[in-house]
Coordinates of all heavy atoms in Angstrom, one line a residue:
M104 N -5.3 0.1 -28.7 CA -4.2 0.8 -28.1 C -4.6 1.4 -26.8 O -5.7 2.0 -26.7 CB -3.6 1.8 -29.1 CG -2.5 2.6 -28.5 SD -1.8 3.9 -29.5 CE -0.8 3.0 -30.6
E105 N -3.8 1.4 -25.8 CA -4.0 2.0 -24.5 C -3.8 3.5 -24.6 O -2.9 4.0 -25.2 CB -3.1 1.3 -23.5 CG -3.5 1.8 -22.1 CD -2.6 1.0 -21.0 OE1 -1.7 0.3 -21.4 OE2 -2.9 1.2 -19.9
G106 N -4.7 4.2 -23.9 CA -4.6 5.7 -23.9 C -3.4 6.1 -22.9 O -3.0 5.3 -22.1
K107 N -2.9 7.3 -23.1 CA -1.9 7.8 -22.3 C -2.4 8.9 -21.4 O -3.2 9.7 -21.8 CB -0.7 8.3 -23.1 CG 0.0 7.2 -23.8 CD 1.3 7.7 -24.5 CE 1.9 6.5 -25.2 NZ 3.3 6.5 -25.1
K108 N -1.8 9.0 -20.2 CA -2.2 10.1 -19.3 C -0.9 10.7 -18.8 O 0.1 10.0 -18.5 CB -3.0 9.5 -18.1 CG -3.6 10.6 -17.2 CD -4.5 9.9 -16.2 CE -5.2 11.0 -15.4 NZ -6.2 10.5 -14.5
T109 N -0.9 12.0 -18.7 CA 0.3 12.7 -18.2 C 0.1 13.2 -16.7 O -1.0 13.6 -16.4 CB 0.6 14.0 -19.1 OG1 0.7 13.6 -20.4 CG2 1.8 14.7 -18.6
F110 N 1.2 13.0 -15.9 CA 1.1 13.4 -14.5 C 2.2 14.4 -14.2 O 3.3 14.4 -14.8 CB 1.4 12.1 -13.6 CG 0.3 11.1 -13.7 CD1 0.4 10.0 -14.6 CD2 -0.9 11.2 -13.0 CE1 -0.6 9.1 -14.6 CE2 -1.9 10.3 -13.1 CZ -1.7 9.2 -13.9
N111 N 1.9 15.3 -13.2 CA 2.9 16.2 -12.7 C 3.8 15.4 -11.7 O 3.2 14.6 -10.9 CB 2.2 17.3 -12.0 CG 1.5 18.2 -12.9 OD1 1.9 18.6 -14.0 ND2 0.2 18.6 -12.5
I112 N 5.1 15.5 -11.8 CA 6.0 14.7 -11.0 C 5.7 14.7 -9.5 O 5.7 13.7 -8.9 CB 7.5 15.1 -11.4 CG1 7.8 14.7 -12.8 CG2 8.4 14.4 -10.4 CD1 9.1 15.1 -13.3
Q113 N 5.5 15.9 -9.0 CA 5.3 16.0 -7.5 C 3.9 16.2 -7.1 O 3.4 15.4 -6.3 CB 6.1 17.2 -7.0 CG 7.6 17.1 -7.1 CD 8.2 15.9 -6.3 OE1 7.7 15.6 -5.3 NE2 9.2 15.2 -6.9
S114 N 3.2 17.1 -7.7 CA 1.8 17.4 -7.2 C 0.8 16.3 -7.4 O -0.2 16.2 -6.7 CB 1.3 18.7 -7.8 OG 1.2 18.6 -9.2
D115 N 1.0 15.4 -8.4 CA 0.1 14.4 -8.7 C 0.4 13.1 -8.0 O -0.4 12.1 -7.9 CB 0.0 14.1 -10.2 CG -0.7 15.2 -10.9 OD1 -1.4 16.0 -10.3 OD2 -0.5 15.3 -12.2
K116 N 1.6 13.0 -7.4 CA 2.0 11.7 -6.7 C 1.3 11.6 -5.3 O 1.4 12.6 -4.5 CB 3.5 11.7 -6.6 CG 4.0 10.4 -6.0 CD 5.5 10.4 -6.0 CE 6.1 9.1 -5.6 NZ 7.5 9.0 -5.5
Q117 N 0.7 10.5 -5.1 CA 0.1 10.2 -3.8 C 1.0 9.4 -3.0 O 1.6 8.5 -3.5 CB -1.2 9.5 -4.0 CG -2.3 10.3 -4.7 CD -3.5 9.5 -5.0 OE1 -3.4 8.6 -5.9 NE2 -4.6 9.8 -4.4
V118 N 1.2 9.7 -1.7 CA 2.1 9.0 -0.8 C 1.4 8.7 0.5 O 0.8 9.6 1.1 CB 3.4 9.8 -0.6 CG1 4.3 9.1 0.4 CG2 4.1 10.2 -1.9
Y119 N 1.4 7.5 0.9 CA 0.9 7.0 2.2 C 2.1 6.4 2.9 O 2.8 5.5 2.4 CB -0.2 5.9 2.0 CG -1.4 6.5 1.3 CD1 -1.5 6.3 -0.1 CD2 -2.4 7.1 2.0 CE1 -2.6 6.8 -0.7 CE2 -3.5 7.6 1.4 CZ -3.6 7.4 0.0 OH -4.7 7.9 -0.6
T120 N 2.4 7.0 4.1 CA 3.6 6.6 4.8 C 3.3 6.1 6.2 O 2.4 6.7 6.9 CB 4.6 7.8 5.0 OG1 4.8 8.4 3.7 CG2 5.9 7.5 5.6
I121 N 4.0 5.1 6.6 CA 3.9 4.6 8.0 C 5.3 4.9 8.7 O 6.3 4.6 8.1 CB 3.7 3.1 8.1 CG1 2.3 2.8 7.4 CG2 3.7 2.6 9.5 CD1 2.0 1.3 7.3
M122 N 5.2 5.6 9.8 CA 6.4 6.1 10.5 C 6.7 5.1 11.6 O 5.9 4.4 12.1 CB 6.2 7.5 11.0 CG 5.9 8.5 9.9 SD 7.1 8.8 8.7 CE 8.2 9.8 9.6
N123 N 8.0 5.2 12.1 CA 8.4 4.5 13.3 C 7.7 5.0 14.5 O 7.0 6.0 14.4 CB 9.9 4.4 13.4 CG 10.5 5.8 13.8 OD1 9.8 6.8 13.6 ND2 11.7 5.9 14.2
E124 N 8.0 4.4 15.7 CA 7.3 4.7 16.9 C 7.5 6.2 17.3 O 6.7 6.8 17.9 CB 7.7 3.8 18.0 CG 7.2 2.4 17.9 CD 7.7 1.5 19.0 OE1 8.4 2.0 19.9 OE2 7.4 0.3 18.9
D125 N 8.7 6.7 17.0 CA 9.0 8.1 17.3 C 8.5 9.1 16.3 O 8.7 10.3 16.4 CB 10.6 8.3 17.4 CG 11.2 7.4 18.5 OD1 10.4 7.1 19.5 OD2 12.4 7.1 18.5
N126 N 7.9 8.6 15.2 CA 7.4 9.4 14.1 C 8.5 10.2 13.5 O 8.3 11.4 13.1 CB 6.3 10.3 14.6 CG 5.3 10.6 13.5 OD1 5.1 9.9 12.6 ND2 4.7 11.8 13.6
T127 N 9.7 9.6 13.4 CA 10.8 10.3 12.8 C 11.4 9.7 11.5 O 12.0 10.3 10.7 CB 12.0 10.4 13.8 OG1 12.4 9.1 14.2 CG2 11.6 11.3 15.0
I128 N 11.1 8.4 11.4 CA 11.7 7.6 10.2 C 10.6 6.8 9.5 O 9.9 6.1 10.2 CB 12.8 6.6 10.7 CG1 13.9 7.4 11.4 CG2 13.4 5.8 9.5 CD1 14.9 6.5 12.1
P129 N 10.4 7.0 8.2 CA 9.4 6.3 7.5 C 9.9 4.8 7.4 O 11.0 4.5 7.1 CB 9.4 6.9 6.1 CG 10.6 7.7 6.0 CD 11.1 8.0 7.3
I130 N 9.0 3.9 7.7 CA 9.3 2.5 7.5 C 8.6 1.8 6.4 O 9.0 0.7 5.9 CB 9.1 1.7 8.9 CG1 7.7 1.9 9.4 CG2 10.1 2.1 9.9 CD1 7.4 1.0 10.6
V131 N 7.5 2.4 6.0 CA 6.7 1.9 4.8 C 6.2 3.1 4.0 O 5.8 4.1 4.6 CB 5.5 1.1 5.2 CG1 4.7 0.7 4.0 CG2 5.9 -0.1 6.1
E132 N 6.4 3.0 2.7 CA 5.8 4.1 1.8 C 5.1 3.4 0.7 O 5.6 2.6 0.0 CB 6.9 5.0 1.3 CG 6.4 6.1 0.4 CD 7.4 7.0 -0.1 OE1 7.9 7.8 0.7 OE2 7.8 6.9 -1.3
I133 N 3.8 3.8 0.5 CA 3.1 3.4 -0.7 C 2.9 4.6 -1.5 O 2.3 5.6 -1.0 CB 1.7 2.8 -0.2 CG1 1.9 1.6 0.7 CG2 0.9 2.5 -1.5 CD1 0.6 1.1 1.3
S134 N 3.4 4.6 -2.7 CA 3.3 5.8 -3.5 C 3.0 5.5 -4.9 O 3.3 4.4 -5.4 CB 4.5 6.7 -3.4 OG 5.6 6.0 -3.9
G135 N 2.5 6.4 -5.7 CA 2.2 6.2 -7.1 C 1.3 7.3 -7.6 O 0.9 8.2 -6.9
Y136 N 1.1 7.2 -8.9 CA 0.2 8.2 -9.6 C -1.1 7.5 -9.9 O -1.1 6.3 -10.2 CB 0.9 8.6 -10.9 CG 2.2 9.3 -10.6 CD1 3.4 8.6 -10.7 CD2 2.3 10.7 -10.3 CE1 4.6 9.2 -10.4 CE2 3.5 11.3 -10.0 CZ 4.6 10.6 -10.1 OH 5.8 11.2 -9.8
D137 N -2.2 8.2 -9.6 CA -3.5 7.7 -9.9 C -3.8 6.5 -9.0 O -4.5 5.6 -9.5 CB -3.7 7.4 -11.4 CG -5.2 7.4 -11.7 OD1 -6.0 8.1 -11.1 OD2 -5.5 6.7 -12.8
L138 N -3.3 6.5 -7.8 CA -3.7 5.4 -6.9 C -5.2 5.4 -6.7 O -5.8 6.5 -6.5 CB -3.0 5.6 -5.5 CG -1.5 5.3 -5.4 CD1 -1.0 5.6 -4.0 CD2 -1.2 3.9 -5.8
D139 N -5.8 4.3 -6.6 CA -7.3 4.2 -6.5 C -7.7 3.2 -5.6 O -7.4 2.0 -5.8 CB -7.9 4.0 -7.9 CG -9.4 4.2 -8.0 OD1 -9.9 4.9 -7.1 OD2 -10.0 3.7 -8.9
F140 N -8.3 3.5 -4.5 CA -8.8 2.6 -3.5 C -10.3 2.6 -3.6 O -11.0 3.7 -3.4 CB -8.4 3.0 -2.1 CG -6.9 3.0 -1.9 CD1 -6.2 4.1 -2.1 CD2 -6.2 1.8 -1.6 CE1 -4.8 4.1 -1.9 CE2 -4.9 1.8 -1.4 CZ -4.1 3.0 -1.6
K141 N -10.9 1.5 -3.9 CA -12.4 1.4 -4.0 C -12.9 0.4 -3.0 O -12.5 -0.8 -3.1 CB -12.8 1.1 -5.4 CG -12.5 2.2 -6.4 CD -13.1 1.8 -7.8 CE -12.7 2.9 -8.8 NZ -13.1 2.5 -10.2
F142 N -13.8 0.8 -2.2 CA -14.4 -0.1 -1.3 C -15.9 -0.3 -1.7 O -16.5 0.7 -2.0 CB -14.4 0.4 0.2 CG -13.0 0.6 0.7 CD1 -12.3 1.8 0.6 CD2 -12.3 -0.5 1.2 CE1 -11.0 1.9 1.1 CE2 -11.0 -0.4 1.7 CZ -10.4 0.8 1.7
N143 N -16.3 -1.5 -1.8 CA -17.7 -1.7 -2.2 C -18.6 -1.5 -0.9 O -18.9 -2.4 -0.2 CB -17.9 -3.2 -2.7 CG -19.3 -3.4 -3.3 OD1 -20.2 -2.6 -3.1 ND2 -19.4 -4.5 -4.0
M144 N -19.0 -0.2 -0.7 CA -19.7 0.1 0.5 C -21.0 -0.5 0.6 O -21.6 -0.6 1.7 CB -19.8 1.7 0.5 CG -18.5 2.4 0.6 SD -17.4 1.8 1.9 CE -18.2 2.6 3.3
D145 N -21.6 -1.0 -0.5 CA -22.9 -1.7 -0.4 C -22.7 -3.1 0.3 O -23.7 -3.6 0.8 CB -23.4 -2.0 -1.8 CG -23.9 -0.7 -2.5 OD1 -24.2 0.3 -1.8 OD2 -23.9 -0.7 -3.8
K146 N -21.5 -3.6 0.3 CA -21.2 -4.9 1.0 C -20.6 -4.8 2.4 O -20.4 -5.8 3.0 CB -20.3 -5.7 0.1 CG -20.9 -6.0 -1.3 CD -22.2 -6.8 -1.3 CE -22.7 -7.0 -2.7 NZ -24.0 -7.6 -2.7
I147 N -20.3 -3.6 2.8 CA -19.6 -3.3 4.1 C -20.7 -2.8 5.0 O -21.2 -1.7 4.9 CB -18.5 -2.3 4.0 CG1 -17.4 -2.9 3.0 CG2 -17.9 -2.1 5.3 CD1 -16.3 -1.9 2.6
N148 N -21.2 -3.7 5.9 CA -22.4 -3.4 6.7 C -22.1 -3.0 8.1 O -23.1 -2.8 8.9 CB -23.4 -4.5 6.6 CG -23.8 -4.7 5.1 OD1 -24.2 -3.8 4.5 ND2 -23.8 -6.0 4.7
G149 N -20.9 -3.0 8.5 CA -20.6 -2.7 9.9 C -19.1 -2.8 10.2 O -18.3 -3.1 9.4
L150 N -18.9 -2.7 11.5 CA -17.5 -2.7 12.0 C -16.8 -4.1 11.8 O -15.6 -4.2 11.5 CB -17.4 -2.4 13.5 CG -17.5 -0.9 13.8 CD1 -17.5 -0.6 15.3 CD2 -16.5 0.0 13.0
E151 N -17.6 -5.2 11.9 CA -17.0 -6.5 11.7 C -16.6 -6.7 10.3 O -15.5 -7.2 10.0 CB -18.1 -7.6 12.0 CG -17.5 -9.0 11.9 CD -18.5 -10.1 12.3 OE1 -19.6 -9.7 12.9 OE2 -18.2 -11.2 12.1
D152 N -17.4 -6.2 9.3 CA -16.9 -6.3 7.9 C -15.7 -5.4 7.7 O -14.7 -5.8 7.0 CB -18.0 -5.8 7.0 CG -19.2 -6.7 6.9 OD1 -19.0 -7.9 7.2 OD2 -20.3 -6.2 6.5
A153 N -15.7 -4.2 8.3 CA -14.5 -3.3 8.1 C -13.2 -4.0 8.8 O -12.2 -3.9 8.2 CB -14.8 -2.0 8.8
E154 N -13.4 -4.6 9.9 CA -12.3 -5.3 10.6 C -11.8 -6.5 9.7 O -10.6 -6.7 9.6 CB -12.7 -5.8 11.9 CG -12.8 -4.7 12.9 CD -13.4 -5.1 14.3 OE1 -13.7 -6.3 14.4 OE2 -13.5 -4.3 15.2
N155 N -12.7 -7.2 9.1 CA -12.3 -8.3 8.2 C -11.5 -7.8 7.0 O -10.5 -8.4 6.6 CB -13.5 -9.1 7.8 CG -14.1 -9.9 8.9 OD1 -13.5 -10.2 9.9 ND2 -15.4 -10.2 8.7
I156 N -11.9 -6.7 6.5 CA -11.2 -6.1 5.3 C -9.8 -5.6 5.7 O -8.8 -5.9 5.0 CB -12.0 -4.9 4.7 CG1 -13.3 -5.5 4.1 CG2 -11.2 -4.1 3.7 CD1 -14.3 -4.4 3.7
T157 N -9.7 -5.0 6.9 CA -8.4 -4.5 7.3 C -7.5 -5.6 7.6 O -6.2 -5.6 7.4 CB -8.5 -3.5 8.4 OG1 -9.1 -4.1 9.5 CG2 -9.2 -2.2 8.0
T158 N -8.0 -6.7 8.2 CA -7.2 -7.9 8.5 C -6.7 -8.5 7.2 O -5.5 -8.9 7.0 CB -8.0 -9.0 9.2 OG1 -8.4 -8.4 10.5 CG2 -7.3 -10.2 9.5
S159 N -7.5 -8.6 6.1 CA -7.1 -9.1 4.8 C -6.0 -8.2 4.2 O -5.1 -8.7 3.6 CB -8.3 -9.2 3.9 OG -9.2 -10.1 4.4
L160 N -6.2 -6.9 4.3 CA -5.2 -6.0 3.8 C -3.9 -6.2 4.5 O -2.8 -6.2 3.9 CB -5.6 -4.5 3.9 CG -6.7 -4.1 3.0 CD1 -7.3 -2.7 3.4 CD2 -6.2 -4.1 1.5
A161 N -3.9 -6.4 5.9 CA -2.7 -6.6 6.6 C -2.0 -7.9 6.2 O -0.8 -8.0 6.1 CB -3.0 -6.7 8.1
Q162 N -2.8 -9.0 5.8 CA -2.2 -10.2 5.4 C -1.5 -10.0 4.0 O -0.5 -10.6 3.8 CB -3.3 -11.3 5.3 CG -3.8 -11.7 6.6 CD -5.0 -12.6 6.5 OE1 -5.7 -12.7 5.5 NE2 -5.3 -13.3 7.6
I163 N -2.1 -9.2 3.1 CA -1.5 -8.9 1.9 C -0.2 -8.1 2.1 O 0.9 -8.5 1.5 CB -2.4 -8.0 1.0 CG1 -3.6 -8.9 0.5 CG2 -1.7 -7.4 -0.2 CD1 -4.8 -8.1 -0.1
M164 N -0.2 -7.2 3.0 CA 1.1 -6.4 3.2 C 2.1 -7.3 3.8 O 3.3 -7.2 3.5 CB 0.8 -5.2 4.1 CG -0.2 -4.2 3.5 SD 0.3 -3.6 1.9 CE 1.7 -2.6 2.4
F165 N 1.7 -8.2 4.7 CA 2.7 -9.1 5.3 C 3.3 -10.0 4.2 O 4.5 -10.3 4.2 CB 2.0 -10.0 6.4 CG 3.0 -10.9 7.1 CD1 3.8 -10.4 8.1 CD2 3.0 -12.3 6.8 CE1 4.7 -11.3 8.7 CE2 3.9 -13.1 7.4 CZ 4.7 -12.6 8.4
K166 N 2.5 -10.5 3.3 CA 3.0 -11.3 2.2 C 4.0 -10.5 1.4 O 5.1 -11.0 1.0 CB 1.9 -11.8 1.3 CG 2.3 -12.7 0.2 CD 1.0 -13.1 -0.6 CE 1.4 -14.1 -1.7 NZ 2.1 -13.5 -2.8
L167 N 3.7 -9.3 1.0 CA 4.6 -8.5 0.2 C 5.9 -8.2 1.0 O 7.0 -8.3 0.4 CB 3.9 -7.1 -0.1 CG 2.8 -7.2 -1.1 CD1 2.1 -5.9 -1.2 CD2 3.2 -7.7 -2.5
L168 N 5.8 -7.9 2.3 CA 7.0 -7.7 3.1 C 7.9 -8.9 3.2 O 9.1 -8.8 3.0 CB 6.6 -7.2 4.5 CG 7.7 -7.1 5.5 CD1 8.7 -6.1 5.1 CD2 7.1 -6.8 6.9
T169 N 7.3 -10.1 3.4 CA 8.1 -11.3 3.5 C 8.8 -11.6 2.2 O 9.9 -12.1 2.1 CB 7.3 -12.5 4.1 OG1 6.2 -12.7 3.3 CG2 7.0 -12.2 5.5
E170 N 8.0 -11.4 1.1 CA 8.6 -11.7 -0.2 C 9.8 -10.8 -0.5 O 10.9 -11.2 -1.0 CB 7.6 -11.5 -1.3 CG 6.6 -12.6 -1.4 CD 5.4 -12.3 -2.4 OE1 5.4 -11.2 -2.9 OE2 4.6 -13.2 -2.5
Q171 N 9.7 -9.5 -0.1 CA 10.8 -8.6 -0.3 C 12.0 -9.0 0.6 O 13.2 -8.9 0.2 CB 10.4 -7.1 0.0 CG 11.5 -6.1 -0.3 CD 11.0 -4.7 -0.1 OE1 9.8 -4.4 -0.2 NE2 12.0 -3.8 0.1
L172 N 11.7 -9.4 1.8 CA 12.8 -9.8 2.7 C 13.6 -11.0 2.2 O 14.8 -11.0 2.2 CB 12.2 -10.2 4.1 CG 11.9 -9.1 5.1 CD1 11.1 -9.6 6.2 CD2 13.2 -8.4 5.5
I173 N 12.8 -12.0 1.6 CA 13.5 -13.1 1.0 C 14.3 -12.8 -0.1 O 15.5 -13.2 -0.2 CB 12.4 -14.2 0.6 CG1 11.7 -14.8 1.9 CG2 13.0 -15.3 -0.3 CD1 10.5 -15.6 1.6
I174 N 13.9 -11.9 -1.0 CA 14.6 -11.5 -2.2 C 15.9 -10.7 -1.7 O 17.0 -11.0 -2.2 CB 13.8 -10.6 -3.1 CG1 12.7 -11.4 -3.8 CG2 14.6 -9.9 -4.1 CD1 11.6 -10.6 -4.5
E175 N 15.7 -9.8 -0.8 CA 16.9 -9.0 -0.4 C 17.9 -9.9 0.4 O 19.1 -9.7 0.2 CB 16.5 -7.8 0.5 CG 15.8 -6.8 -0.4 CD 15.4 -5.5 0.4 OE1 15.9 -5.4 1.5 OE2 14.7 -4.7 -0.2
R176 N 17.5 -10.9 1.1 CA 18.4 -11.7 1.8 C 19.2 -12.6 0.8 O 20.4 -12.9 1.0 CB 17.7 -12.7 2.8 CG 17.0 -11.9 4.0 CD 18.0 -11.6 5.1 NE 17.6 -10.6 6.0 CZ 16.8 -10.7 7.1 NH1 16.3 -11.9 7.3 NH2 16.5 -9.7 7.8
K177 N 18.5 -13.1 -0.2 CA 19.2 -13.9 -1.2 C 20.2 -13.1 -2.0 O 21.3 -13.5 -2.3 CB 18.1 -14.5 -2.2 CG 17.4 -15.6 -1.7 CD 16.4 -16.2 -2.7 CE 15.6 -17.3 -2.2 NZ 14.7 -17.9 -3.2
Q178 N 19.9 -11.8 -2.3 CA 20.8 -10.9 -3.0 C 22.0 -10.6 -2.1 O 23.1 -10.4 -2.6 CB 20.1 -9.6 -3.4 CG 19.1 -9.9 -4.5 CD 18.3 -8.6 -4.8 OE1 18.3 -7.6 -4.1 NE2 17.5 -8.7 -5.9
G179 N 21.8 -10.6 -0.8 CA 22.9 -10.2 0.1 C 23.9 -11.4 0.4 O 24.9 -11.2 0.9
Q180 N 23.5 -12.6 -0.1 CA 24.4 -13.7 0.2 C 25.5 -13.9 -0.8 O 25.5 -13.5 -1.9 CB 23.6 -15.0 0.2 CG 22.6 -15.1 1.4 CD 21.8 -16.3 1.4 OE1 21.8 -17.2 0.5 NE2 21.0 -16.5 2.5

């Protein structure tokens, strides 16, 4: 059986937001409880490795965004 963990509704929620150019409207929000980002620092040896990782993360986000766009466009038809 999986263990249970209790979270405070506001103070435990982590939120990462990307704002529009005017910094007035959020356009992306990543949020949740117990978000965990782990980088294998033993394998990241310089800026080139860091750039490759961020490029890969951007590709993942682009995939998620396009999937959501397709779903919402289908629902709107």
Side-chain angles (χ1 to χ4, degrees):
M104 176 186 278
E105 186 175 9
K107 292 190 180 217
K108 188 171 185 179
T109 303
F110 293 98
N111 295 315
I112 292 172
Q113 294 298 323
S114 62
D115 289 341
K116 186 175 183 181
Q117 294 172 293
V118 179
Y119 297 92
T120 305
I121 298 172
M122 303 296 282
N123 68 343
E124 291 177 2
D125 299 337
N126 208 29
T127 57
I128 301 169
I130 56 174
V131 176
E132 182 180 284
I133 301 169
S134 63
Y136 299 94
D137 201 25
L138 289 177
D139 192 17
F140 299 93
K141 291 183 181 177
F142 298 96
N143 188 348
M144 298 307 286
D145 292 338
K146 303 296 180 189
I147 302 170
N148 298 311
L150 286 178
E151 184 177 351
D152 291 339
E154 288 172 357
N155 290 336
I156 291 166
T157 57
T158 299
S159 296
L160 288 169
Q162 290 170 345
I163 291 169
M164 298 306 290
F165 183 77
K166 181 179 184 288
L167 293 171
L168 172 62
T169 54
E170 287 173 354
Q171 184 174 340
L172 281 170
I173 291 168
I174 290 169
E175 289 187 10
R176 295 273 163 89
K177 283 182 181 179
Q178 291 173 349
Q180 291 179 355

